[in-house]
Structures are given as structure tokens and as C-alpha cells.
Amino acid sequence: MFIETLIVSPIVFLRVVIIVIISISLHELAHGLVALSQGDDTPRKQGHITLNPLVHMGWESIIFLCVAGITWGKMPINASNFRSQRIGNILVSVAGSLCNLGLAFICIALLKLLANYTYAEFLSFQFFYMAAHINLMLFLFNLLPIPPLDGFYIFSEIFPSLKPLQYTYFGLFALMMLFLIPEFGDGLSAIAVLILQTVS
């Protein structure tokens, strides 16, 4: 369990928790801001245009992150309010993943700037490397065409025949299977590292 990291390496534990909370909160906020731009005021009405992670994740998600290393976010959106439902769905869905990609590249830029400087242990070269790595993994993971991930809503607008899967247990089953396969996480991590090595 991820909670064991708190005993073995408390600094790594805190780094991961803080990075993931910030990344997911900004991911969800990106969804909400783009939804607003497409004509849906639901995120603002329900108080989700905020940086508060408790709003975007909730205590249950944060506790689950600390214990198991798995978490989630939420953003209330009503696609029927979009000026163009198809385009709106695609733009809102891709916004979160692009936010994580943007955060990753910001961290990569900071890595290059800080390469020759020494800072406090917590905000070290390793911290920004980890932040870039985690955000690249979030970017790749969220683009998988599995409900309720962003990738599913993007692909289902391009291939409408996929939409009925949204109302089945397919997504839950597929995600459970992926989390049970260690090679899946290792594969995502390896791709993220490859990207980091290529651009840094």
C-alpha cells in the first residue's frame, strides 16, 4: 500500500501527495473553465471554479490517495448547455489532459533552470522531476478511451458507436483490470520517462 511510503520515505510520500493533489485540482479546474467558455455555467453555479482541492477531490479521494495511491477528481458539467455539444465535449474533455501536459513541460523548464542551483531538500531537482513524471503519466492515463476517463469522451464524439459503453460496467471492469496489472503502471511510467529524456 502507498501509505507504507510514509514510513519508508516521508519526503517522497509528501511530494507525491502534494503533486497529485495540485495536478488533479488544476486538471478539474481546466475542465470547468473550458466548460464555461463553451456556454455551460454549471461549474460556477456549483462552486467548482476554485483552486480548493477539497472541492475538486473531496476528503474520500484525498484519503484514498494517501492510503492506496489511487485518487480521482470531479467537475460538474452539463453538456446540453454547450453551444456545440460535440465540439464542447471534445474541448472540455481534452482540457484536463492538456493541463497535465502543460504542467509537465513547466516542470521540465524549471528542471533546466534549476539544474545548476541548490535549493531546499523538498523543492529539489527530484521534486520537479517527479512532478513532470506524474503529470505525464496523468496525461497518458486520462487519454485512454475508457469511461469515465477523458479519452473516452473524446473518442466517443469521434466514434459515436462507443457512447453506449458509458452506461455499462465496461469502464469500471477495464480500470480494475488495468490496476491489477503491474506492467500497466510500469509501462505508463516508462513512456513518461522516455518523454522526459527526449525533451529534457
Side-chain angles (χ1 to χ4, degrees), residues 141-152:
F141 177 72
N142 276 289
L143 285 181
L144 293 174
I146 302 172
L149 301 179
D150 299 334
F152 174 78

Side-chain angles (χ1 to χ4, degrees), residues 7-170:
I7 300 171
V8 178
S9 182
I11 289 179
V12 170
F13 178 87
L14 289 174
R15 283 175 178 169
V16 171
V17 169
I18 289 173
I19 290 167
V20 171
I21 288 176
I22 291 173
S23 300
I24 289 184
S25 297
L26 291 176
H27 174 110
E28 297 301 332
L29 182 58
H31 284 316
L33 291 173
V34 175
L36 286 175
S37 75
Q38 296 302 302
D40 179 27
D41 197 38
T42 304
R44 191 190 307 279
K45 287 180 178 177
Q46 297 198 18
H48 278 253
I49 302 301
T50 175
L51 291 171
N52 186 348
L54 287 176
V55 172
H56 295 302
M57 300 175 68
W59 280 113
E60 299 88 348
S61 178
I62 293 174
I63 291 171
F64 209 77
L65 166 64
C66 294
V67 173
I70 299 172
T71 190
W72 59 89
K74 55 188 176 182
M75 175 58 66
I77 287 170
N78 186 347
S80 64
N81 292 330
F82 294 156
R83 287 185 291 274
S84 168
Q85 191 161 334
R86 185 181 185 189
I87 294 174
N89 269 331
I90 292 174
L91 292 177
V92 170
S93 297
V94 79
S97 294
L98 288 181
C99 176
N100 291 126
L101 183 62
L103 288 172
F105 278 100
I106 288 172
C107 290
I108 290 169
L110 288 172
L111 285 173
K112 293 182 178 181
L113 288 173
L114 301 179
N116 299 319
Y117 296 90
T118 302
Y119 285 80
E121 183 180 3
F122 190 80
L123 290 175
S124 64
F125 182 92
Q126 289 77 16
F127 176 86
F128 290 109
Y129 183 91
M130 182 182 290
H133 186 215
I134 288 174
N135 273 282
L136 284 172
M137 289 184 68
L138 287 172
F139 167 73
L140 294 168
F141 177 72
N142 276 289
L143 285 181
L144 293 174
I146 302 172
L149 301 179
D150 299 334
F152 174 78
Y153 295 101
I154 297 169
F155 281 95
S156 65
E157 290 298 336
I158 300 172
F159 306 103
S161 59
L162 295 175
K163 286 190 176 184
L165 292 176
Q166 178 181 350
Y167 307 104
T168 69
Y169 290 107
F170 165 76

